[in-house]
């Protein structure tokens, strides 16, 4: 059994910018899955995606997660985090 937790994140806005929200699903081996979601007011979809990442990482840190695999459908954010795209 792996000690690696998994985190699935997503963020979206209705309009760009527009009303926005994010969601995080954190699964840790041997523990119940944690789901978190919230609205963040008016924002772009990229801000919503990054908010999901930051909120999810904060949650994982609070829970003492040491190894984490993060999954996202945001090509921009994933490529920026992997160093393939520059971050402005």
């Amino acid at each position: 059994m792996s000690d690696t937790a998994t985190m699935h994140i997503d963020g979206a806005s209705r309009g760009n910018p527009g009303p926005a929200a994010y969601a995080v699903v954190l699964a840790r081996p041997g523990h119940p899955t944690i789901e978190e979601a919230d609205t963040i007011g008016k924002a772009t979809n990229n801000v919503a995606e990054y908010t999901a990442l930051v909120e999810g990482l904060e949650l994982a840190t609070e829970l003492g997660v040491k190894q984490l695999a993060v999954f996202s459908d945001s090509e921009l954010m994933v490529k920026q985090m992997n160093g393939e795209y520059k971050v402005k």
Side-chain angles (χ1 to χ4, degrees), residues 70-87:
V70 180
F71 299 90
S72 170
D73 66 351
S74 171
E75 179 181 359
L76 175 70
M77 184 179 64
V78 169
K79 289 193 174 190
Q80 286 176 331
M81 292 294 98
N82 286 330
E84 297 174 51
Y85 289 173
K86 290 184 180 179
V87 178

Side-chain angles (χ1 to χ4, degrees), residues 11-82:
S13 64
R14 189 171 296 152
N16 204 22
Y22 74 91
V24 175
V25 177
L26 179 64
R28 298 172 295 154
H31 297 278
T33 299
I34 298 171
E35 298 176 357
E36 178 181 305
D38 203 358
T39 58
I40 59 171
K42 186 176 181 180
T44 66
N45 63 312
N46 291 330
V47 168
E49 294 281 4
Y50 269 100
T51 299
L53 177 62
V54 169
E55 294 292 332
L57 291 174
E58 288 177 352
L59 176 61
T61 299
E62 290 170 11
L63 296 172
V65 172
K66 301 294 182 204
Q67 296 179 33
L68 181 65
V70 180
F71 299 90
S72 170
D73 66 351
S74 171
E75 179 181 359
L76 175 70
M77 184 179 64
V78 169
K79 289 193 174 190
Q80 286 176 331
M81 292 294 98
N82 286 330

